[in-house]
Amino acid sequence: MRIVILGAGFGGLELASLLSEKLGDDAQVVLIDKSDGFVFGFSKLDVMFGRTTADHVLHRYADMILPGVSFVRSAIRSLDPAARRVVTDGETFEADILVVALGADLDPAATPGLAEGGHEFYTVAGAFALREVLEQFAGGRVVVGVTSTPFKCPPAPSEAAVLMHDFLQARGLADASHVSLVMPLGVPIPPSPKASQAVLAAFAERGISWHPERLVRALQPDLGAVVLSDGTEMPYDLFLGIPVHRAPAVVTESGMTVDGWIPVDPETLETRYPGVYAVGDVTSAGTPKAGVFAEGQAAVVAQQIISRVRGAATPAAYDGRGICYLELGHGMVAKVDVTFLSGQSPVGGLEGPSADLAADKTAFGSERIRRWFGKTWHATLPDPPSA
Ligand SMILES: Cc1cc2nc3c(=O)[nH]c(=O)nc-3n(C[C@H](O)[C@H](O)[C@H](O)COP(=O)(O)OP(=O)(O)OC[C@H]3O[C@@H](n4cnc5c(N)ncnc54)[C@H](O)[C@@H]3O)c2cc1C
């Protein structure tokens, strides 16, 4: 059986490593990605705030050893879900089972003024470039703002606001600065009231202004103003944006999307095309766009594929559960355990914050890099380059 996985991000790597472990040479697995390596979303914050280096957080596909999996570095140019055929810059692939794990593309150019007058920390390039910008920043009005929904890792803008404040404080710039956060959500973490309270308490402690239920529509760099969806303007010196998200063009052009994302069976992650699955940010599976959900969905697809190859019993349905680590500043991390099940209101609990959970978060990253890349890795450098 030939299984072709499109995208070696959180979902694609988890699926490829599970198939390698469980099926070995009993299946032919091809994993395709255009990038040279994988970067965790949270590593973007670590790099921009100077806790580690760009080189340290890039996990190169060239170093990956997964028995039974062939990695192909190439851009996917077109995909035909009915024929399960994929055309890349190099070869064309035909699959018995096709899995789309191509994530969400980011489009900073869709927000007027963002490229000219602001920065974004959601792309790898944008976050890495911010490290130097933040090092040079002399203090002032910082606005962290979301430009559209849906967006990846809903807690990340709140984390960025808190970490930005602490970064300024460590440099003696907090008194000359003010951090504001513009968010479309009514509370920071909707499924977990306790987590929302913890985030709002961290904002209050630091004097961070919280502007819920609004989006940033445009920047007016000449006027030094951010324009919000309710028509109001906010003055800024430094803008850290969350750009517009969309399914990669190759996915939209394939006809697989409905309202912008790929619909899937919420229990099996199969699309409306037989033998074609989709996991992670590219789907409208009903879960937030976050790595932990892409990973949980990949595990369900792995079970589906293994049961097809082995002729085993029908595997369990996707449980919609994910554990998310939440940075609350000064080295404290909380753990939010959330469940999103189709037709039910999402629920979530909170553990911490504590310094022990910061160690848990590091172990979470290390464990995945060991499984996916077979190497030892620690998310932050033992001796951060800029304290
Ligand atoms: C600042 C920040 C912090 C975050 N923190 C967390 C966190 O703490 N926990 C968490 O769970 N999630 C977090 N996330 C979200 C997480 O990074 C994503 O939700 C997750 O990576 C999605 O996994 P995925 O497999 O769907 O897609 P991705 O991991 O984005 O992978 C998609 C892959 O497809 C490839 N690709 C796309 N188009 C093509 C093409 N045409 N040809 C070839 N290859 C292609 C890309 O190169 C990429 O490698 C964070 C995100 C950000 C931005």
Side-chain angles (χ1 to χ4, degrees), residues 34-349:
K34 62 183 175 186
S35 309
D36 56 349
F38 171 76
V39 173
F40 280 114
F42 59 73
S43 292
K44 294 171 187 169
L45 296 173
D46 287 337
V47 171
M48 73 190 254
F49 291 114
R51 297 160 154 194
T52 187
T53 60
D55 204 38
H56 181 70
V57 301
L58 175 69
H59 307 287
R60 292 181 190 281
Y61 296 130
D63 302 336
M64 194 167 57
I65 306 159
L66 289 175
V69 177
S70 317
F71 178 75
V72 175
R73 185 172 175 194
S74 197
I76 296 150
R77 294 299 173 197
S78 73
L79 112 86
D80 178 345
R84 296 193 293 273
R85 185 181 305 115
V86 178
V87 178
T88 73
D89 272 351
E91 286 171 72
T92 294
F93 296 88
E94 312 259 348
D96 296 308
I97 294 180
L98 186 63
V99 185
V100 185
L102 290 168
D105 268 4
L106 298 160
D107 186 4
T111 304
L114 176 54
E116 303 85 332
H119 304 273
E120 57 81 21
F121 61 97
Y122 261 50
T123 65
V124 171
F128 287 6
L130 261 168
R131 180 186 175 129
E132 218 162 290
V133 174
L134 295 187
E135 267 172 16
Q136 306 293 323
F137 185 56
R141 294 157 301 187
V142 182
V143 178
V144 179
V146 179
T147 62
S148 77
T149 56
F151 63 99
K152 297 185 204 198
C153 194
S158 300
E159 292 178 296
V162 169
L163 295 175
M164 185 68 215
H165 174 275
D166 292 2
F167 177 87
L168 291 165
Q169 194 173 45
R171 293 177 167 242
L173 295 169
D175 289 346
S177 304
H178 181 82
V179 179
S180 306
L181 173 62
V182 180
M183 279 271 269
L185 308 174
V187 290
I189 321 257
S192 171
K194 279 189 178 169
S196 290
Q197 276 165 21
V199 173
L200 291 173
F203 292 167
E205 196 188 308
R206 292 164 173 82
I208 295 171
S209 305
W210 152 251
H211 302 269
E213 297 179 329
R214 264 156 280 191
L215 289 165
V216 169
R217 286 287 181 224
L219 268 67
Q220 295 178 328
D222 298 350
L223 303 175
V226 169
V227 183
L228 307 188
S229 49
D230 62 5
T232 57
E233 293 185 3
M234 283 173 74
Y236 80 98
D237 298 302
L238 177 68
F239 179 75
L240 306 177
I242 290 85
V244 171
H245 289 45
R246 23 179 142 266
V250 68
V251 175
T252 318
E253 286 158 11
S254 74
M256 294 185 81
T257 57
V258 174
D259 295 333
W261 307 98
I262 304 178
V264 287
D265 179 322
E267 296 197 346
T268 64
L269 284 309
E270 193 162 12
T271 68
R272 62 181 188 277
Y273 300 93
V276 182
Y277 294 85
V279 299
D281 289 357
V282 76
T283 70
S284 48
T287 51
K289 298 199 181 304
V292 287
F293 296 107
E295 179 181 292
Q297 292 162 13
V300 169
V301 173
Q303 285 167 5
Q304 298 275 335
I305 294 172
I306 292 161
S307 81
R308 283 193 191 204
V309 172
R310 300 259 189 258
T314 312
Y318 177 51
D319 64 5
R321 187 169 167 222
I323 285 172
C324 163
Y325 291 95
L326 184 60
E327 295 263 357
L328 287 170
H330 304 314
M332 303 297 270
V333 170
K335 194 164 150 182
V336 189
D337 185 341
V338 280
T339 301
F340 287 75
L341 274 180
S342 177
Q344 295 178 26
S345 295
V347 288

Side-chain angles (χ1 to χ4, degrees), residues 1 5 23 41 90 168 226 324 367:
M1 185 179 282
I5 305 169
L23 293 178
L168 291 165
V226 169
C324 163
E367 163 63 12

Side-chain angles (χ1 to χ4, degrees), residues 2-38:
R2 182 175 239 214
I3 299 139
V4 177
I5 305 169
L6 310 183
F10 226 110
L13 284 167
E14 178 68 8
L15 177 59
S17 66
L18 286 171
L19 294 179
S20 168
E21 185 192 320
K22 307 278 188 216
L23 293 178
D25 292 333
D26 288 355
Q28 202 190 339
V29 180
V30 177
L31 175 64
I32 308 173
D33 203 293
K34 62 183 175 186
S35 309
D36 56 349
F38 171 76

